[in-house]
Amino acid sequence: MKYVSERMSEVLPGWSLKTLLLVLVVGTFASGIVSVTAVQAQDDAAAEFGAEDEFGADPEPDPAAGQPEPDAGAEPGGGGGGDAGGARPKQSLLGWFIKSLGIPYLVVFMALSVTLVSLFVMNMLAARRDTLCPLDLIEEFGQRLDENDNQGAYDLAKSDESVLGQVLAAGLSKISRGYPKALEGMQEVGEEESMKLEHRLSYMALIGNLSPMIGLFGTVQGMIASFDVIANGGSTPKPSELAEGISTALFTTLVGLFIAIPAIAAYNILRNRVARLLLEVGVESENLMSRFEDTTPKAGGR
């Protein structure tokens, strides 16, 4: 978090990161909002259509309307008793979503979502050109080498926190042992920095792989619950009890895919960007250090 706070102060004045974060937020939640709105509109339309059928076309009076109502304990076999007569209060879509998903799945998916957004921000900050291969460092480092100010070039590279700066500093620190040793030092630092970036990116791929598996686990659990209702509900299981297990199966699958799709997409985009910038780091560092190809090792150099 300290790394993120230090980098955020450098990036927030620019518009590029703001735009990317806005795209992430909009892309992550837009489909969910559209789905919720569509389902809610469909439910409202169905309710309105049902109300028109109920109140718009009244049937002819029943000649037997004056007969006494059946007892409360009578079997609901005829035209309108039981569950069909007593309309249950309509449940909101959000309440249905929370009830179907359940607290354990809700907590797990929320934790995965927050972790994914945090990793995306951290990797976006780490995959910037200023963090990996800044152009200002290339120009100033080359100017100091042209002026034969090797110590100044080393101090400049050492004080720079970018990957290119650390690679150049490692090369200059071993140039007294010869150009091949300097290249080895640069490659070691480059591979170490590349491993750190790949290690952080791999957690996004892990979330992208885990989310659908957790959703599949919820799918199996919900279907088992529904079949349990069928097995123990007699000849006429209640549809409402069957719907609870089925809704759990569908919602867990939906949320798992909802997290996994942007996670995998962001991972591949950022991985390709990091690979391209690291390639530029290797090319630029070798070009800058190529003027030391004829350098011979100094006596007693380590």
Side-chain angles (χ1 to χ4, degrees):
M1 295 304 294
K2 181 179 179 182
Y3 174 79
V4 175
S5 61
E6 292 175 355
R7 294 301 181 188
M8 285 293 286
S9 61
E10 299 176 5
V11 180
L12 284 180
W15 286 97
S16 59
L17 182 59
K18 288 183 178 180
T19 305
L20 289 172
L21 292 178
L22 180 61
V23 170
L24 172 69
V25 174
V26 173
T28 305
F29 296 104
S31 58
I33 294 175
V34 171
S35 301
V36 171
T37 305
V39 175
Q40 188 68 38
Q42 184 179 5
D43 293 344
D44 294 341
E48 183 179 356
F49 182 75
E52 291 178 357
D53 288 345
E54 181 178 357
F55 299 105
D58 292 331
E60 293 295 330
D62 191 356
Q67 296 180 359
E69 297 181 357
D71 296 337
E75 291 292 333
D83 295 339
R88 299 177 61 183
K90 183 179 178 181
Q91 189 177 15
S92 65
L93 183 61
L94 180 61
W96 181 35
F97 173 79
I98 295 176
K99 180 181 178 181
S100 301
L101 204 59
I103 299 300
Y105 286 109
L106 189 63
V107 172
V108 170
F109 284 130
M110 284 294 294
L112 289 176
S113 301
V114 173
T115 304
L116 176 62
V117 174
S118 302
L119 287 171
F120 178 80
V121 174
M122 294 175 64
N123 285 298
M124 276 299 304
L125 295 174
R128 294 163 52 233
R129 177 175 292 277
D130 292 339
T131 305
L132 297 178
C133 187
L135 299 178
D136 295 339
L137 176 62
I138 296 174
E139 295 178 0
E140 190 171 354
F141 188 87
Q143 290 177 0
R144 297 197 180 187
L145 290 183
D146 292 337
E147 298 172 356
N148 293 325
D149 186 8
N150 295 341
Q151 184 61 41
Y154 173 79
D155 295 337
L156 175 65
K158 189 67 176 178
S159 61
D160 196 283
E161 297 181 357
S162 64
V163 175
L164 179 61
Q166 301 304 314
V167 169
L168 292 175
L172 282 179
S173 64
K174 296 183 178 181
I175 198 63
S176 60
R177 302 170 57 185
Y179 183 69
K181 292 294 183 181
L183 284 181
E184 290 180 4
M186 292 165 59
Q187 291 175 357
E188 290 176 0
V189 174
E191 291 176 358
E192 181 180 357
E193 295 295 330
S194 176
M195 183 188 66
K196 291 180 181 178
L197 294 171
E198 288 289 341
H199 183 72
R200 188 180 300 157
L201 280 171
S202 64
Y203 287 112
M204 296 181 66
L206 178 63
I207 292 176
N209 292 326
L210 281 180
S211 296
M213 300 303 295
I214 297 174
L216 180 60
F217 186 87
T219 302
V220 175
Q221 180 183 355
M223 296 306 296
I224 289 175
S226 296
F227 280 108
D228 181 68
V229 172
I230 296 175
N232 299 322
S235 59
T236 56
K238 293 183 179 180
S240 60
E241 295 180 358
L242 285 173
E244 291 181 0
I246 296 174
S247 61
T248 298
L250 295 178
F251 273 120
T252 51
T253 305
L254 175 66
V255 177
L257 295 175
F258 188 73
I259 297 174
I261 292 173
I264 295 175
Y267 164 73
N268 285 279
I269 292 172
L270 290 176
R271 184 186 62 179
N272 293 337
R273 177 177 175 81
V274 168
R276 178 173 58 83
L277 290 175
L278 288 177
L279 179 61
E280 291 185 15
V281 168
V283 172
E284 294 295 341
S285 60
E286 290 185 6
N287 289 338
L288 291 172
M289 297 294 293
S290 61
R291 63 196 68 195
F292 297 104
E293 287 181 353
D294 298 332
T295 302
T296 56
K298 296 181 179 179
R302 296 184 301 173

